[in-house]
Amino acid sequence: MLNIQICYSLDVSAPLLRTQGYVDGRWVSAASVFPVLDPATGQEIARVADCGAAEAKQAVDAAYKAFQSWKRSTAKERSILLRKWFDLMTLHREDLAKLITFECGKPMKESLGEITYSASFLEWFSEEARRVYGDIVPSPLRDRKIFLLKQPVGVASIITPWNFPSAMITRKVGAALAAGCTVVVKPAEDTPLSALALAELAEQAGIPAGVFNVVPCSREETPAVGQVLCTDPLVAKISFTGSTATGKVLLKMAADTVKKVSMELGGHAPFIVFDSADVDRAVSGAMASKFRNSGQTCVCSNRFLVQSGIYDRFVEKLGRAMDAELRMGHGSDPQTTQGPLINQRAADKVEQQVSDAVSRGASVLRGGKRLHGSFMEPTLLVDVSTDMLCTKEETFGPLVPVIRSVPGDALT
């Protein structure tokens, strides 16, 4: 049962709760604002500057200007600044985690884990900044020497998802800044507050103006902002984590100016259990791989293929584990292990997959119901076949479809 009766409010230190864009070392407003909602309650927690193409262009110009000096900074200088940024993230760990919980819906324990994970990228790249080595290659000619030098590519557009609103930024930005690049970050519209808090700490750490820019925007403004970040000739590199469909659009836009592109797109990971498996360990692995962040990670198992000899025992024990270990609620409640899905659209998708599976002959052993707002019960489906949507599309939710593999299948 889901029962959210307590009134939860976001309580973080004022400097970390930023609602303007961050361009060229300044906090900038836009012509309008958009709401950021707590996905657990649907309540508005902030109104953020709704940046558009003009602000995105300003950010790119600022990053390009800053690149001319940042690329000439020494590896040691960049290392020291990244380390200061890491230290500040560690100091403000609790408040940064609260931001994630309230805008993303994660249980606080997972949010704290993400901040540790997020900060570790800055720590790692602060050290790797000093190790951007070149090389000397033996020449086939007596009067020639061949030197290999590594140089920063320039301005990088960083487009990040909502499911890891802090770590997906530092993982990309830490590497870029360590190499001598400058960046423009476009965070997901559902989770801009974490990105803006990172900008505040970057400023406190002494990252120079224009090196790190954040352009938050609504879903409506995203195409215009994305167009600038992917087509502007001053942008040399694009790094994107998100859906495959969006990745294809960005690749097409980047093609005209032949930009360097890194994409981490959608997944459809199988979880395979053979007859010889230790059932308890398999169930433990399934729980860990499926229900982190309520099933909203790119490495969550999406389809469960279980050999017939072990199928019934696996399903029974998995159902018991779900009953014993999963508790839905607001992420601020220390007892919560399963928060809401990020928004109504996400819950609609899971609900549709469950409905489709049942209409095609699947049975619901656990859960299956849409609850308040974007909460979806952790759901266990059996008698699943490969013609169902849940075996063809990435779910991104707490749904476990278990397919029985019989002799003659590719699994056996």
Side-chain angles (χ1 to χ4, degrees):
M1 291 293 293
L2 177 65
N3 187 16
I4 300 181
Q5 295 182 337
I6 301 174
C7 181
Y8 295 97
S9 59
L10 177 59
D11 179 23
V12 300
S13 60
L16 290 180
L17 186 56
R18 290 288 188 172
T19 57
Q20 295 172 291
Y22 186 69
V23 177
D24 201 16
R26 297 177 292 109
W27 294 100
V28 299
S29 299
S32 60
V33 295
F34 68 98
V36 179
L37 306 179
D38 178 348
T41 63
Q43 295 176 349
E44 183 179 301
I45 55 177
R47 286 180 172 265
V48 173
D50 194 4
C51 296
E55 290 80 12
K57 177 58 178 169
Q58 291 169 14
V60 169
D61 290 345
Y64 185 77
K65 179 182 176 182
F67 175 64
Q68 308 313 313
S69 56
W70 182 249
K71 69 181 179 181
R72 290 194 294 271
S73 62
T74 67
K76 182 179 179 180
E77 289 169 340
R78 297 194 297 271
S79 173
I80 289 171
L81 291 175
L82 286 169
R83 179 70 199 200
K84 287 181 179 178
W85 198 4
F86 160 77
D87 289 338
L88 286 167
M89 281 196 71
T90 303
L91 178 65
H92 295 282
R93 178 171 175 260
E94 292 281 339
D95 279 350
L96 294 172
K98 288 178 185 177
L99 287 174
I100 292 176
T101 289
F102 272 84
E103 67 178 349
C104 178
K106 283 185 183 180
M108 191 63 179
K109 182 179 179 181
E110 289 192 27
S111 296
L112 287 167
E114 179 178 343
I115 294 303
T116 299
Y117 179 54
S118 178
S120 75
F121 290 117
L122 297 182
E123 180 184 35
W124 171 267
F125 287 114
S126 73
E127 296 167 0
E128 288 300 298
R130 301 170 184 254
R131 303 189 183 100
V132 184
Y133 302 135
D135 207 350
I136 300 175
V137 180
S139 173
L141 302 175
R142 294 176 183 272
D143 61 343
R144 305 289 174 84
K145 290 185 178 180
I146 301 175
F147 297 93
L148 298 182
L149 302 177
K150 295 181 180 178
Q151 297 179 319
V153 296
V155 176
S157 292
I158 308 296
I159 304 174
T160 56
W162 48 262
N163 59 335
F164 287 91
S166 181
M168 290 299 98
I169 292 175
T170 57
R171 186 172 75 172
K172 299 172 186 293
V173 171
L177 268 56
C181 298
T182 56
V183 301
V184 179
V185 177
K186 193 212 85 68
E189 66 270 15
D190 291 299
T191 55
L193 300 180
S194 291
L196 296 171
L198 287 174
E200 168 64 28
L201 295 181
E203 184 174 79
Q204 290 182 25
I207 303 293
V211 171
F212 180 71
N213 306 274
V214 181
V215 184
C217 64
S218 65
R219 186 177 179 86
E220 290 72 26
E221 288 289 345
T222 291
V225 171
Q227 180 84 18
V228 172
L229 298 185
C230 293
T231 63
D232 193 295
L234 298 184
V235 173
K237 166 80 180 183
I238 299 168
S239 180
F240 169 72
T241 297
S243 72
T244 303
T246 301
K248 290 178 179 179
V249 173
L250 301 186
L251 280 169
K252 288 178 181 177
M253 288 195 290
D256 283 346
T257 46
V258 198
K259 301 187 189 304
K260 297 177 183 294
V261 177
S262 296
M263 298 270 164
E264 181 192 7
L265 306 179
H268 193 39
F271 188 97
I272 302 172
V273 185
F274 292 98
D275 284 342
S276 58
D278 180 317
V279 178
D280 292 331
R281 291 182 65 183
V283 167
S284 177
M287 293 292 292
S289 71
K290 179 72 258 188
F291 294 110
R292 181 186 181 194
N293 195 19
S294 298
Q296 300 173 111
T297 82
C298 61
V299 295
C300 276
S301 298
N302 208 65
R303 317 164 270 159
F304 290 72
L305 297 91
V306 182
Q307 281 193 297
S308 57
I310 204 172
Y311 184 93
D312 292 336
R313 282 185 294 151
F314 174 81
V315 166
E316 179 188 0
K317 289 196 171 187
L318 180 58
R320 285 190 210 158
M322 291 170 65
D323 293 339
E325 299 177 26
L326 304 181
R327 183 182 183 278
M328 289 184 294
H330 195 284
S332 295
D333 184 337
Q335 300 302 313
T336 295
T337 65
Q338 299 291 286
L341 300 188
I342 187 63
N343 53 38
Q344 299 278 354
R345 297 187 307 276
D348 289 343
K349 181 177 182 180
V350 179
E351 189 176 29
Q352 179 190 15
Q353 288 193 359
V354 172
S355 176
D356 170 79
V358 171
S359 72
R360 296 175 185 272
S363 299
V364 178
L365 283 195
R366 294 292 190 284
K369 296 179 182 177
R370 173 80 171 269
L371 303 177
H372 166 76
S374 61
F375 277 94
M376 187 76 194
E377 284 185 326
T379 300
L380 176 58
L381 295 179
V382 294
D383 302 323
V384 175
S385 58
T386 55
D387 63 339
M388 300 173 183
L389 284 178
C390 59
T391 67
K392 297 178 179 180
E393 301 177 352
E394 186 175 23
T395 301
F396 240 62
L399 173 60
V400 184
V402 188
I403 302 169
R404 184 191 300 268
S405 177
V406 298
D409 286 352
L411 189 62
T412 58

